[in-house]
Amino acid sequence: MLEENYKATSRNGHELKDMYNPETNTLDIRSNGAYPSNVLSNLCSNSFRFDGMICGSMEGFLQSLKRQDINKQRQICSMKGGNARKMSVTSWQTDQIVWWKGQAIDRQSDKYQDLIHRAYKAMFEQSERFRTALMQTRGMLLAHLTGENNSYKTILTPTELCGILTELRDNYDKRDKTQELIEKSVTYEHEDLEQEKTTKKKIVYVDMGGVLMDFHAGLELIGDELRKEYAGRYNEVPNIVSYLTPIKGAVEAMSALQQSGKYDVYILSTSPWSNPTTWSDKVEWVNRYLDKYYCKRLILSHHKNLLRGDYIIDDRGKHGTSGFNGEWLRFGSEDFPDWDSVLKYLQVSQ
């Protein structure tokens, strides 16, 4: 559905423009362009992980390079394109120094070029939507006609952008496909067998707030005004979920549970009725931080006891958790203080 939205001919009542010029065989990359132009824009929410950081979009990564403070950089890096662009500053232009994970880098250096090349490669490898859109431009010239050409005024020039994308596209076609074809064949042959194994796995439900998401750390990012306005009812803060980062070890643990082959894992959470955006925000959070395996495994319910399963990992007994028919692993308790203890109990190694 998400990819279909990007292939639509209009968005929010505005018609998307066809950015392909057949006379010059050139595709102009624009956020308001028709597919695939819009998906190739840095503003598109093509999330990926890079050097241990969560990037909500390429725009988020690029804008974060302008900030020396590591916590601020991490926050901006995780943002979607439009929100990230609003965080842009020009102070870096004076000395032409940008930052990545506490390290100062000369904007005009080869080291900087290597950094952005690696970031785009990570996005290309991890985002199927971006990769598919880029490969549909085979044989076309790529351009970004609205971009700033002066490298001393912008974090990325059109020449740099289009050069990187063209290189990724061309190298992908030159790769050795032998092993890839073997793996796809094996996957196809054993698809029915794997499906049968999945139905026999024990079912595990995992809560979000306080188990996957660090609610208390997120409160530090919303600002004093919002904390004061919503004191005692922080669940009602607009887009509160977007401020929340994963609890230590949560992302790794979810990956370990998935890959163990022992469990059929689902995310089971509750959202406040007074803050309806939280429902969609939780979907976005799962897409941003967890493997795509979990994209269609999010269940939102105020009655967790109605679901059948073997284990539920939750920090509180509310909303039916205490009445769950399986075993409740109370996260944060003396028996299960962290994710390491949970994985040890479930006999799963990272």
Side-chain angles (χ1 to χ4, degrees):
M1 179 63 70
L2 186 58
E3 183 174 340
E4 291 176 357
N5 289 339
Y6 278 95
K7 289 184 178 181
T9 57
S10 63
R11 186 170 66 235
N12 298 327
H14 298 285
E15 184 176 354
L16 298 178
K17 303 176 182 178
D18 184 358
M19 293 300 170
Y20 176 66
N21 186 335
E23 294 183 3
T24 60
N25 192 31
T26 300
L27 179 72
D28 184 17
I29 299 173
R30 297 276 292 275
S31 61
N32 63 341
Y35 183 88
S37 173
N38 54 348
V39 174
L40 300 181
S41 167
N42 290 333
L43 295 177
C44 183
S45 300
N46 298 314
S47 59
F48 60 100
R49 294 181 178 88
F50 179 58
D51 285 354
M53 295 274 271
I54 301 298
C55 304
S57 62
M58 181 54 68
E59 186 72 17
F61 166 73
L62 293 172
Q63 294 297 344
S64 77
L65 298 178
K66 302 175 182 179
R67 306 296 183 125
Q68 181 178 358
D69 181 82
I70 185 66
N71 291 323
K72 192 66 175 179
Q73 182 173 80
R74 188 182 302 275
Q75 177 191 0
I76 296 174
C77 195
S78 68
M79 289 181 174
K80 295 181 181 180
N83 292 332
R85 184 166 61 177
K86 296 176 183 178
M87 305 301 291
S88 179
V89 294
T90 58
S91 54
W92 66 275
Q93 296 178 3
T94 303
D95 53 15
Q96 293 294 298
I97 297 297
V98 295
W99 300 84
W100 182 239
K101 301 185 71 174
Q103 185 176 17
I105 302 174
D106 183 355
R107 163 64 178 91
Q108 307 302 328
S109 66
D110 291 338
K111 188 173 184 179
Y112 176 74
Q113 292 300 321
D114 176 69
L115 176 67
I116 58 176
H117 273 74
R118 289 194 301 110
Y120 272 96
K121 183 179 179 181
M123 181 172 68
F124 179 83
E125 293 174 346
Q126 297 173 39
S127 175
E128 182 178 358
R129 179 177 64 190
F130 175 79
R131 185 170 60 252
T132 299
L134 181 57
M135 298 316 297
Q136 288 193 14
T137 69
R138 286 185 178 98
M140 301 180 190
L141 297 175
L142 300 179
H144 182 46
L145 302 180
T146 60
E148 169 61 62
N149 292 306
N150 188 341
S151 65
Y152 290 91
K153 293 183 178 181
T154 181
I155 206 78
L156 188 74
T157 66
T159 300
E160 291 170 328
L161 168 64
C162 296
I164 292 173
L165 297 187
T166 301
E167 180 180 324
L168 287 171
R169 184 183 66 187
D170 294 347
N171 287 342
Y172 187 71
D173 276 335
K174 295 176 182 177
R175 74 194 188 286
D176 183 357
K177 301 180 183 178
T178 303
Q179 186 60 34
E180 181 180 346
L181 292 173
I182 293 175
E183 291 175 355
K184 287 184 176 180
S185 298
V186 171
T187 299
Y188 179 79
E189 291 172 4
H190 295 281
E191 184 178 16
D192 292 338
L193 178 60
E194 290 301 317
Q195 180 62 35
E196 182 179 348
K197 289 180 179 179
T198 300
T199 60
K200 297 179 180 179
K201 297 175 183 177
K202 290 188 175 182
I203 297 176
V204 178
Y205 297 107
V206 184
D207 184 41
M208 293 188 74
V211 179
L212 293 178
M213 304 185 305
D214 193 338
F215 194 83
H216 296 292
L219 291 180
E220 298 298 319
L221 298 175
I222 67 174
D224 294 335
E225 291 186 5
L226 285 177
R227 281 199 298 273
K228 183 178 179 180
E229 180 181 354
Y230 290 91
R233 50 190 183 92
Y234 293 125
N235 280 335
E236 298 181 17
V237 174
N239 303 116
I240 180 63
V241 174
S242 63
Y243 293 92
L244 307 184
T245 54
I247 278 182
K248 181 180 180 182
V251 173
E252 295 80 1
M254 293 296 280
S255 177
L257 285 170
Q258 170 199 343
Q259 296 176 19
S260 69
K262 298 180 179 180
Y263 301 104
D264 197 11
V265 190
Y266 295 86
I267 300 169
L268 177 56
S269 185
T270 300
S271 289
W273 294 104
S274 56
N275 192 357
T277 63
T278 303
W279 295 69
S280 58
D281 288 343
K282 286 194 173 184
V283 174
E284 181 63 28
W285 194 95
V286 171
N287 283 319
R288 178 185 301 175
Y289 289 108
L290 300 181
D291 188 272
K292 63 180 181 180
Y293 167 85
Y294 290 104
C295 291
K296 295 184 179 180
R297 288 176 170 263
L298 172 62
I299 302 171
L300 298 177
S301 174
H302 283 262
H303 306 281
K304 298 179 181 180
N305 55 302
L306 297 180
L307 284 90
R308 294 182 178 182
D310 301 282
Y311 300 98
I312 186 169
I313 305 171
D314 203 332
D315 61 327
R316 300 186 300 170
K318 299 182 65 176
H319 305 297
T321 294
S322 59
F324 180 70
N325 68 340
E327 185 175 358
W328 174 22
L329 309 186
R330 186 162 188 169
F331 193 84
S333 66
E334 183 176 348
D335 292 333
F336 304 103
D338 52 28
W339 272 106
D340 286 339
S341 60
V342 171
L343 293 180
K344 183 177 181 181
Y345 182 81
L346 295 176
Q347 299 182 343
V348 174
S349 59
Q350 298 192 59

